[in-house]
Amino acid sequence: MNGYTGRLLVINLTTGDISTQELNRGYAAQYLGGSGLAARYLYDWIDAKTDPLGADNPLVFMNGPLDGTGAPSSGRFAVCARSPQTGLWGEAIAGNFFGPELKFAGYDGIVIRGKANSLCYLHITPDRVDIHDASDLRGRTTYETGDAIRAELQDDALVTACIGPAGENLVRYALILASSKRPGAKKGIAGRCGMGAVMGSKNLKAIAVRGSKHHRTHKLQLHDPARFRRAMLAAQKFLSDDMSTEVFRAVGTSGTMDYLGLLGDVPVKYWTQGSFDYAKISGNVLAETILTGRSTCHACMVACGRKVEKAGEYVLPHAEGPEYETLAAFGSLMLVDDLNLLTWIGAQCDALGLDSISAGSTIAFAMYLRDMGMMPRSALNGTDLAWGDGQAALKMVEQIAHRRDVGELLALGSRELGAQYGVDGMAVQINGMEVAMHDPRAAMGMAVSYATSPIGASHNHSDYFMVETSGRPIDELGIETIDRFASSGKAESLARHQDWRTINNALVLCFFPNPPAPEMCEMLAAATGYDVTMQNVLTYGERIWNLKRALNLRLGYNARRAEILPELILRPLQDGGTEGHVPEFETMMREYYTYREWDWETGRPSRAKLEALGMSEIANEVWNEKEA
């Protein structure tokens, strides 16, 4: 198969069986790869009875048709399963070198079923696949685990995807961290949806992969190599001259902190305050003070990863610095402005295996509840939580990862924390997923983006705030910049942006570079032989978007109960860059539903829409359920 190896690795941890399965060519042709292809497989395998932390919940690692080809920003992979955090479709996208390395080993993906009797790890090479005992790795951090496996197997070329104590302890928002010893390699964080907890529920501590570009099992074929190369070189030329490439390389993702803060996009004091001294925690001051180097993922021209060896008194053994979401979640959201401490907290989240967005947001919510007198100090086992207390936040991170004391409750997330005190409507989450660090009061399209995201309140399915606030339209695809405070007229542009980002997550591409859409279409067509053009490319994204909606419906999704904005986000702020604005949410949602051709009461895509997308089999199931 052009662009694919044509094989999936299938492992049953209960029985120890290891096999390969031919890739479903029909599924690949419709859903491409990454989270799109994984969703199509999981649609066949899971339903509302599937326990997210049970042995019957398959965990799927999937790369994409551009992995390993040299296409710019294509070195990523998806991890997918039913989410223990939301109960819905779950996916997390990560970088580093794991995705391409898996492809070089001869596989388009890994399907992990069952549960091992004891803690184990997988070792994958082009020649063989083994299951190793990992009992001595219990309690080790993500970084320590990767280093220990490389040392045990005497192979520094291994790329590892590991969980930390949080994953072992089934924290609902535990992450998976990919790392390697390559000089300048950036960590890869599969952070959202609790995929680390799913991995931990299977007694799987890590996956170690080493491929070979020249091995007999890896001869990646492209449909039209010359055409692919022309498009790739054009995209690389564009990115080398692109201003955003230079900005992200110089100051990282957190370099946008000052500007987005000025617009009111960066949440403050758990979404209740409009301004903060963002400059103290921005990527600009990080670059001027503690930055010691940059790191990158496979085939990336940006190198946005931050290398920090020492932050004040804190020494970072793996020199991995923080990114925007971490600095916002533990910084402005809690009124903490100590960049050195925030850098250390971020490193601890990565090492212990916690999604920093959900961990930071849940701890900040606890601070809010303490400040409002709703959460007694006695619940904190002799400590306290107050605005600006970064040391207390650090202690909570450790307690959550080990589920000790109040960490047992916080490990369940902010929705459960709010329910414990009878104020679940105040938790800034949607479907159990904590809202990412971009305020929809500053960029109204994000209200719909969060509400309709198939995994909960994630910006990884449409960072539409970049279109609204930073002038990153994609004119060729009908994705246009509209006044950020407008609550109408955005449905088509937003939906098309969701479709495009869905394609990114299927290929699997990073969002930060901005390669031209025509060159991306050319590379995909040249690699696979699929008839992909600028006129039909969004159909792929629309098909995958509707597939994930159908899958969530199968898992019990109720649109009218689920698609609700948190109470605090509907309160206007009188200071800062949002100027008292709030989204006119129902107006926006009804306009969006009309454009998507979804039924307002049930959230179901129309039969006509599904059939037009070539999804007749799924249409029959979606609509037969209603007729029954």
Side-chain angles (χ1 to χ4, degrees):
M1 291 180 66
N2 294 321
Y4 303 87
T5 69
R7 299 195 307 166
L8 294 180
L9 176 62
V10 182
I11 298 174
N12 189 315
L13 292 175
T14 301
T15 63
D17 290 341
I18 299 171
S19 62
T20 58
Q21 176 181 319
E22 184 178 349
L23 191 70
N24 188 311
R25 293 170 181 257
Y27 287 180
Q30 280 198 301
Y31 302 100
L32 300 178
S35 63
L37 185 54
R40 185 59 191 89
Y41 274 105
L42 283 163
Y43 188 90
D44 293 339
W45 296 339
I46 64 175
D47 57 27
K49 297 178 182 178
T50 303
D51 179 357
L53 296 176
D56 60 337
N57 187 21
L59 180 64
V60 178
F61 287 71
M62 194 76 76
N63 55 39
L66 296 186
D67 265 309
T69 64
S73 71
S74 65
R76 296 175 73 78
F77 65 100
V79 189
C80 307
R82 188 177 191 187
S83 167
Q85 185 175 10
T86 67
L88 302 175
W89 159 252
E91 67 179 86
I93 308 294
N96 188 258
F97 293 81
F98 185 91
E101 204 68 25
L102 180 63
K103 205 167 192 179
F104 297 151
Y107 303 104
D108 293 309
I110 313 170
V111 180
I112 302 163
R113 296 180 177 275
K115 177 180 180 178
N117 289 329
S118 59
L119 200 65
C120 68
Y121 72 86
L122 304 179
H123 180 208
I124 302 169
T125 70
D127 297 303
R128 60 184 298 166
V129 178
D130 295 301
I131 302 174
H132 292 260
D133 178 73
S135 299
D136 60 335
L137 298 176
R138 184 171 297 280
R140 304 287 288 273
T141 70
T142 55
Y143 290 117
E144 289 170 346
T145 299
D147 289 344
I149 290 172
R150 280 182 278 271
E152 178 181 315
L153 298 176
Q154 299 181 349
D155 189 350
D156 282 349
L158 286 168
V159 181
T160 56
C162 308
I163 60 172
E168 293 177 31
N169 294 320
L170 309 185
V171 175
R172 288 190 185 176
Y173 43 88
L175 60 75
I176 300 169
L177 184 139
S179 67
S180 71
K181 291 194 71 172
R182 301 174 192 224
K186 181 186 176 185
K187 64 190 176 186
I189 302 290
R192 310 236 70 188
C193 297
M195 295 297 99
V198 177
M199 195 161 159
S201 74
K202 297 184 175 301
N203 270 331
L204 181 61
K205 180 67 173 175
I207 303 174
V209 181
R210 178 180 52 76
S212 171
K213 295 182 182 180
H214 309 294
H215 194 276
R216 63 182 180 276
T217 60
H218 172 72
K219 292 182 179 179
L220 186 61
Q221 300 295 321
L222 302 182
H223 174 72
D224 189 335
R227 180 185 175 190
F228 178 88
R229 180 173 173 78
R230 287 193 298 271
M232 181 182 71
L233 292 176
Q236 290 175 343
K237 175 64 169 61
F238 174 88
L239 289 173
S240 67
D241 297 331
D242 183 45
M243 180 63 71
S244 64
T245 301
E246 292 301 317
V247 170
F248 280 125
R249 179 183 295 124
V251 294
T253 60
S254 59
T256 61
M257 182 78 70
D258 306 84
Y259 172 67
L260 293 178
L262 182 67
L263 298 180
D265 183 67
V266 187
V268 181
K269 199 178 182 183
Y270 200 65
W271 309 87
T272 63
Q273 186 171 299
S275 59
F276 181 75
D277 191 353
Y278 306 101
K280 290 185 177 180
I281 62 171
S282 78
N284 298 296
V285 70
L286 190 153
E288 294 168 359
T289 55
I290 59 176
L291 184 71
T292 55
R294 299 174 179 84
S295 56
T296 187
C297 300
H298 177 86
C300 179
M301 300 179 66
V302 176
C304 70
R306 305 292 87 183
K307 287 290 184 182
V308 177
E309 297 174 1
K310 192 172 185 292
E313 64 183 281
Y314 305 104
V315 177
L316 284 70
H318 289 84
E320 291 285 5
E323 302 189 38
Y324 168 86
E325 296 288 336
T326 299
L327 290 176
F330 284 93
S332 60
L333 202 66
M334 300 183 190
L335 302 185
V336 176
D337 61 7
D338 184 339
L339 179 61
N340 292 332
L341 178 57
L342 292 174
T343 299
W344 178 247
I345 293 173
Q348 292 307 293
C349 283
D350 293 344
L352 294 170
L354 291 172
D355 172 31
S356 62
I357 299 175
S358 286
S361 188
T362 301
I363 296 168
F365 186 37
M367 286 184 176
Y368 174 80
L369 294 178
R370 279 289 298 126
D371 186 47
M372 298 295 290
M374 299 176 186
M375 184 179 187
R377 181 170 182 173
S378 60
L380 300 172
N381 303 97
T383 62
D384 204 358
L385 281 172
W387 298 120
D389 192 343
Q391 289 293 341
L394 175 60
K395 185 174 182 179
M396 290 298 108
V397 165
E398 295 166 347
Q399 290 186 352
I400 291 168
H402 295 98
R403 298 189 76 147
R404 290 197 301 258
D405 300 328
V406 73
E408 179 67 35
L409 174 58
L410 300 187
L412 303 178
S414 60
R415 178 170 63 179
E416 296 300 324
L417 175 61
Q420 175 74 17
Y421 293 101
V423 289
D424 47 315
M426 288 187 175
V428 181
Q429 55 79 33
I430 297 174
N431 290 317
M433 174 74 70
E434 284 71 26
V435 174
M437 299 294 107
H438 299 283
D439 196 324
R441 288 169 292 199
M444 302 295 182
M446 290 306 295
V448 177
S449 179
Y450 287 142
T452 60
S453 162
I455 68 169
S458 169
H459 64 309
N460 293 329
H461 288 79
S462 172
D463 53 333
Y464 195 69
F465 69 92
M466 292 295 289
V467 178
E468 294 184 287
T469 65
S470 302
R472 290 185 71 172
I474 309 175
D475 295 327
E476 310 96 314
L477 295 176
I479 300 168
E480 58 182 338
T481 299
I482 301 170
D483 185 325
R484 67 190 180 103
F485 292 131
S487 286
S488 61
K490 288 183 177 175
E492 180 175 356
S493 180
L494 170 62
R496 294 174 77 84
H497 192 261
Q498 289 174 326
D499 293 342
W500 180 240
R501 289 314 194 195
T502 299
I503 293 169
N504 291 175
N505 288 338
L507 291 181
V508 184
L509 301 176
C510 180
F511 286 8
F512 295 138
N514 197 26
E519 275 68 34
M520 294 310 306
C521 290
E522 272 289 285
M523 283 188 282
L524 178 57
T528 63
Y530 299 155
D531 180 24
V532 181
T533 67
M534 286 295 291
Q535 289 68 46
N536 68 15
V537 66
L538 289 184
T539 300
Y540 288 89
E542 187 179 15
R543 182 183 298 118
I544 298 168
W545 190 262
N546 280 276
L547 169 69
K548 293 174 182 177
R549 167 59 59 129
L551 178 51
N552 276 337
L553 291 169
R554 168 181 271 203
L555 297 176
Y557 188 74
N558 184 305
R560 297 284 59 80
R561 287 204 302 263
E563 294 166 357
I564 300 173
L565 282 190
E567 181 181 328
L568 293 182
I569 283 179
L570 292 172
R571 296 179 182 178
L573 300 175
Q574 298 309 314
D575 64 327
T578 60
E579 304 176 16
H581 290 272
V582 294
E584 296 175 15
F585 185 56
E586 183 167 333
T587 297
M588 299 179 76
M589 287 292 290
R590 286 188 178 274
E591 181 182 314
Y592 176 87
Y593 262 60
T594 298
Y595 179 78
R596 282 288 189 198
E597 298 180 40
W598 289 357
D599 178 72
W600 178 254
E601 294 303 323
T602 65
R604 286 176 165 87
S606 72
R607 175 180 284 277
K609 169 57 67 176
L610 293 174
E611 290 179 345
L613 293 170
M615 304 167 69
S616 296
E617 180 181 350
I618 291 171
N620 288 336
E621 180 173 336
V622 167
W623 286 97
N624 282 344
E625 287 180 357
K626 183 179 181 182
E627 291 164 7

